[in-house]
């Protein structure tokens, strides 16, 4: 039973999803929210003085024991990650995130943690099932036989299995969601780790502000994806932690869009039309990916539902403010 007086720990709280989760947990009335990240606290996307904020490198085992001391519930959102531009060029760094989840699981077992959530990714899915833009939505069984995204995807798949075996062998209650592209305000929008929705917003805003009405698009623009708004991610993450779903489950939108379609929407929000240049040698990931939500519908009676246009309006507005308001708190 969820008990708001028990300590909940958010690992990766200085990042995009972690920052939103801390806000949400505090709003629900959790009395002891511990927020942990390796970045200096003044560089976190969101900082809450009524949380217990700790700067710790969770790849180190003693740091994980410190982070989870006297805690009941743990969300592990800490990882060295970014969009395709980052994960295709930093495979070793992505794989080193295995240290974070491994040491956190060991600490969770020894500290008597009650429930442990792990944020996996659609990058665990077999690449051969994502060759065509006209993709059949990925269902949970499509992760095996294993042929995930090199580096990042292999780490996620391995860490999923660590969660499974800690549950089976040590009775630690672990839950795993496979996120499909999450977007929203208060996340990375420049610097090389940003993902497609934020990158496209930034490029469209740059074009609008500069008057140079050209945009570079990675790939041929026909790649398909689905994008989940942050509020859906927060609900799904917590519902999965508190569910009896023991196998990794998709958490993503099933509203499929091409990258060209994504640019169309952002252009229409901005009220501008740009000349598109396609960079075919840029990192672009798989050709097609969408989330099959049959299982989450069956087990939770719910699936992410915020329309892409709605979520992008909020994301665009936040990035616009970051780029134009001198007084906006800027985090990079
Ligand atoms: P993010 O990069 O904004 O946040 C991750 C945070 O983890 C960062 O603040 C980073 O400083 C922290 N971190 C990294 N190494 C650490 C360490 N050694 N010790 C402590 N903190 C460390 O990413 P996000 O978008 O918020 O993603 C959260 C989780 O969700 C990650 O595990 C990610 O792989 C997963 N995920 C995200 C998406 C997405 O679209 N955003 C999709 C699939 C999976």
């Amino acid at each position: 039973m969820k008990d708001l007086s028990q300590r909940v720990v958010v690992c990766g709280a200085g990042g995009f999803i972690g920052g939103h989760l801390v806000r949400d947990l505090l709003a629900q009335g959790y009395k002891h929210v511990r927020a942990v990240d390796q970045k200096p606290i003044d560089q976190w996307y969101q900082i809450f003085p009524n949380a217990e904020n700790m700067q710790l490198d969770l790849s180190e085992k003693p740091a994980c024991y410190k982070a989870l001391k006297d805690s009941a519930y743990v969300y592990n959102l800490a990882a060295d990650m970014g969009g395709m531009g980052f994960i295709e060029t930093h495979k070793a760094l992505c794989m080193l995130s295995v240290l974070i989840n491994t040491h956190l699981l060991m600490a969770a077992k020894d500290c008597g943690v009650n429930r442990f959530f792990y944020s996996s990714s659609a990058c665990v899915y077999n690449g051969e099932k994502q060759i065509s833009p006209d993709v059949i939505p990925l269902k949970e069984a499509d992760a095996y036989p294993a042929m995930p995204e090199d580096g990042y995807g292999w780490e996620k798949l391995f860490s999923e299995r660590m969660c499974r075996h800690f549950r089976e062998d040590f009775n630690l209650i672990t839950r795993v969601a496979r996120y499909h592209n999450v977007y929203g305000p208060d996340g990375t929008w420049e610097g090389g780790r940003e993902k497609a929705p934020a990158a496209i917003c930034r490029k469209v805003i740059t074009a609008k502000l500069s008057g140079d009405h050209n945009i570079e698009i990675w790939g041929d623009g026909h790649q398909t994806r689905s994008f989940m708004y942050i509020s859906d991610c927060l609900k799904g993450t917590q519902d999965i932690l508190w569910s009896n779903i023991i196998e990794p489950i998709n958490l993503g939108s099933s509203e499929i869009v091409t990258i060209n379609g994504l640019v169309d929407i952002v252009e229409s929000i901005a009220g501008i039309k740009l000349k598109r240049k396609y960079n075919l040698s840029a990192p672009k990931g798989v050709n097609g990916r969408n989330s099959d939500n049959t299982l989450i519908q069956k087990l939770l009676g719910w699936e992410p539902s915020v329309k892409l246009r709605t979520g992008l309006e909020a994301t665009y507005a936040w990035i616009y403010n970051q780029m134009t308001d001198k007084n906006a708190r800027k985090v990079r």
Side-chain angles (χ1 to χ4, degrees):
M1 276 291 283
K2 181 160 42 174
D3 178 351
L4 298 183
S5 68
Q6 295 284 323
R7 178 168 286 106
V8 53
V9 184
V10 178
C11 304
F16 164 48
I17 302 171
H20 284 280
L21 183 59
V22 171
R23 174 195 292 275
D24 198 64
L25 294 166
L26 289 168
Q28 286 172 55
Y30 276 93
K31 300 273 177 305
H32 305 285
V33 179
R34 186 176 285 159
V36 187
D37 203 286
Q38 71 171 354
K39 291 187 292 198
I41 293 168
D42 63 0
Q43 290 174 24
W44 296 11
Y45 284 109
Q46 302 188 63
I47 308 165
F48 301 96
N50 46 344
E52 183 190 354
N53 299 312
M54 297 171 92
Q55 186 191 353
L56 290 170
D57 179 352
L58 296 170
S59 64
E60 293 171 1
K61 192 172 161 191
C64 291
Y65 280 75
K66 204 169 166 185
L68 303 198
K69 189 170 183 290
D70 299 328
S71 64
Y73 318 130
V74 175
Y75 291 92
N76 177 15
L77 300 160
D80 204 350
M81 62 89 68
M84 270 304 148
F86 180 80
I87 66 177
E88 286 196 3
T89 52
H90 297 81
K91 297 189 176 104
L93 282 185
C94 289
M95 293 213 76
L96 280 172
S97 293
V98 77
L99 295 174
I100 302 174
N101 200 54
T102 304
H103 290 143
L104 279 175
L105 281 170
M106 293 169 82
K109 170 176 91 65
D110 292 343
C111 296
V113 162
N114 186 281
R115 278 180 186 254
F116 184 97
F117 175 89
Y118 176 63
S119 50
S120 184
S121 162
C123 286
V124 300
Y125 284 116
N126 191 317
E128 285 168 12
K129 306 225 175 210
Q130 303 169 80
I131 289 166
S132 162
D134 198 13
V135 65
I136 299 171
L138 295 157
K139 54 183 183 310
E140 286 74 1
D142 291 331
Y144 295 96
M147 189 49 72
E149 173 80 32
D150 202 5
Y152 178 71
W154 276 108
E155 190 279 320
K156 290 291 185 193
L157 198 62
F158 177 87
S159 290
E160 282 188 359
R161 288 206 80 91
M162 285 279 280
C163 290
R164 175 194 183 124
H165 295 305
F166 268 67
R167 175 174 54 75
E168 289 175 348
D169 294 359
F170 303 132
N171 294 320
L172 177 67
I173 298 177
T174 59
R175 300 289 181 258
V176 177
R178 290 181 183 151
Y179 290 163
H180 291 244
N181 291 308
V182 191
Y183 72 101
D186 292 296
T188 316
W189 57 274
E190 63 170 356
R193 288 178 185 253
E194 64 278 18
K195 299 186 150 211
I200 305 268
C201 286
R202 187 199 69 231
K203 288 179 185 184
V204 170
I205 294 165
T206 302
K208 194 177 160 89
L209 295 174
S210 69
D212 175 3
H213 289 182
N214 291 292
I215 185 167
E216 185 191 72
I217 294 169
W218 288 7
D220 61 11
H222 297 302
Q223 319 88 287
T224 50
R225 292 289 185 280
S226 72
F227 299 97
M228 170 169 59
Y229 191 59
I230 184 68
S231 57
D232 279 334
C233 178
L234 295 179
K235 173 174 166 49
T237 295
Q238 294 173 78
D239 287 357
I240 289 167
L241 181 72
W242 289 102
S243 75
N244 292 323
I245 304 169
I246 58 174
E247 297 291 341
I249 186 165
N250 278 337
L251 182 55
S253 165
S254 56
E255 182 186 351
I256 194 164
V257 64
T258 61
I259 295 300
N260 276 328
L262 182 67
V263 178
D264 290 342
I265 298 173
V266 180
E267 282 180 344
S268 112
I269 293 168
I272 198 171
K273 225 33 197 152
L274 303 175
K275 190 164 178 332
R276 301 179 187 186
K277 288 186 186 149
Y278 296 95
N279 181 351
L280 301 181
S281 51
K284 73 175 182 74
V286 293
N287 288 325
R289 176 177 290 164
N290 193 11
S291 178
D292 182 321
N293 287 345
T294 311
L295 194 61
I296 196 165
Q297 273 287 8
K298 182 173 159 214
L299 299 177
L300 292 182
W302 172 87
E303 68 175 296
S305 60
V306 176
K307 288 279 165 226
L308 184 56
R309 164 98 201 189
T310 309
L312 280 174
E313 281 170 0
T315 309
Y316 180 95
W318 180 78
I319 296 175
Y320 190 89
N321 187 258
Q322 286 282 301
M323 292 174 72
T324 56
D325 183 352
K326 284 193 210 71
N327 298 320
R329 183 175 167 266
K330 296 196 175 57
V331 183
R332 296 197 162 85

